[in-house]
Amino acid sequence: MVSFLALPAIFTPSFSLFSRASFPAPPSSLFHNRLGRFGVRSSYAETRLDEDSNSAAIDVVADVKTERVVVLGGSGFVGSAICKAAVSNGIEAISVSRTGRPAYPGSWVDQVSWIPGDVFYLNWDEVLGGATAVVSTIGGFGSEEQMQRINGEANVVAVNAAKEFGVPKFILISVHDYNLPSFLLSSAYFTGKRKAESEVLSKYPNSGVVLRPGFIYGKRRVDGLEIPLDLVGQPLERILSATQNLTKPLSSLPASDLLLAPPVSVDDVALAVINAITDDDFFGIFTIEQIKEAAEKVRA
């Protein structure tokens, strides 16, 4: 049985998607400015003198459009944080997940379009119309076959759909390898994730983003209960970050990062995604420390 909800603490939380989804494309008259959150285009007609009224008439047309991101697994722990950060930064957010709208508190929830859907059966042209970025948090545990399908194939399907429909950027939430020995990295959980990474970097060589966080902490909701992972993650992050220079010699030991890799706040992951959406110079594979640096750029 595959678990699409909480992953163990050392892995990136992710979600699979079920059923069919649809969302109308935005008006074609709108345009997109990739370097900012919105753009304004004005066209000025030739000023002409009205012979009767002696008044000047100026025709001004202004079109404004925010970024539009589709978050696969958007109702989950990481996905919902990304949706919330998108709304807070003036970005239109559409979530596609197996559960649709979650029972999260906050006015931001009403500003997200929650769509139940399965990446293997989505009507992509109705979901991706007008999207400027797709973010995938898809993943899960189970048998080798199940993990290869969810962590690998589902993401590959999403990447190719986004590319086919001309979405400019794809962002994948992957996982840190923890310096694990090769026999553990041969698990379908990791091979599936790396297969997805390869697809992103192949189809989007100059705009694809792969984030590799370790343990992600924050206030996580499971079956209506709030699990305060930050009570463990936040102090652990501070300790490991402060002692990083001392523990660095140990980083070459197999599986050392299971103990030494600093946790990452779910808010940092979400803000790193926002940076990826709005900054065309942000692409490639990003480590734990680089994720935190990207988040700080958005906060600044």
Side-chain angles (χ1 to χ4, degrees), residues 84 93 173 193 196 245 248:
K84 182 178 180 179
I173 309 300
K193 287 285 189 180
N245 290 335
K248 195 171 185 179

Side-chain angles (χ1 to χ4, degrees), residues 1 35 55 74 84 119 200-201 216 227 265 272:
M1 186 79 180
L35 297 180
S55 63
K84 182 178 180 179
V119 294
V200 171
L201 300 175
I216 301 177
I227 303 176
S265 163

Side-chain angles (χ1 to χ4, degrees), residues 196-207:
E197 290 183 7
S198 296
E199 196 70 14
V200 171
L201 300 175
S202 172
K203 293 297 191 297
Y204 290 89
N206 299 313
S207 61

Side-chain angles (χ1 to χ4, degrees), residues 57-273:
I58 298 178
D59 177 27
V60 179
V61 177
D63 293 334
V64 178
K65 182 184 183 300
T66 61
E67 301 271 6
R68 184 172 193 255
V69 60
V70 176
V71 183
L72 305 177
S75 62
F77 176 48
V78 176
S80 61
I82 293 170
C83 289
K84 182 178 180 179
V87 168
S88 298
N89 285 273
I91 298 172
E92 182 183 357
I94 298 93
S95 164
V96 181
S97 68
R98 64 191 179 100
T99 56
R101 183 188 176 100
Y104 291 123
S107 59
W108 66 271
V109 176
D110 295 327
Q111 300 178 59
V112 177
S113 298
W114 304 99
I115 302 171
D118 179 346
V119 294
F120 290 108
Y121 306 104
L122 275 179
N123 189 349
W124 288 104
D125 57 345
E126 295 180 350
V127 174
L128 297 179
T132 57
V134 172
V135 182
S136 176
T137 67
I138 301 173
F141 279 103
S143 68
E144 290 290 291
E145 181 180 355
Q146 290 169 326
M147 289 190 292
Q148 196 63 248
R149 177 173 172 81
I150 299 302
N151 298 331
E153 294 172 17
N155 282 306
V156 168
V157 167
V159 172
N160 282 280
K163 186 65 176 179
E164 180 182 350
F165 284 94
V167 180
K169 180 165 287 189
F170 196 101
I171 302 159
L172 175 70
I173 309 300
S174 189
V175 65
H176 183 59
D177 64 14
Y178 295 96
N179 202 24
L180 293 173
S182 58
F183 74 92
L184 290 177
L185 290 176
S186 64
S187 161
Y189 181 84
F190 287 101
T191 59
K193 287 285 189 180
R194 297 302 180 247
K195 180 179 181 180
E197 290 183 7
S198 296
E199 196 70 14
V200 171
L201 300 175
S202 172
K203 293 297 191 297
Y204 290 89
N206 299 313
S207 61
V209 175
V210 173
L211 302 183
R212 289 181 175 177
F215 166 40
I216 301 177
Y217 68 84
K219 289 181 171 56
R220 180 169 190 164
R221 288 180 173 271
V222 177
D223 296 331
L225 299 176
E226 188 175 85
I227 303 176
L229 298 177
D230 49 339
L231 293 181
V232 174
Q234 193 170 54
L236 186 58
E237 178 186 14
R238 291 174 179 171
I239 293 170
L240 290 175
S241 295
T243 59
Q244 206 164 30
N245 290 335
L246 297 175
T247 59
K248 195 171 185 179
L250 302 175
S251 62
S252 60
L253 297 177
S256 59
D257 277 359
L258 287 173
L259 297 175
L260 302 179
V264 185
S265 163
V266 70
D267 293 330
D268 279 352
V269 175
L271 290 178
V273 169

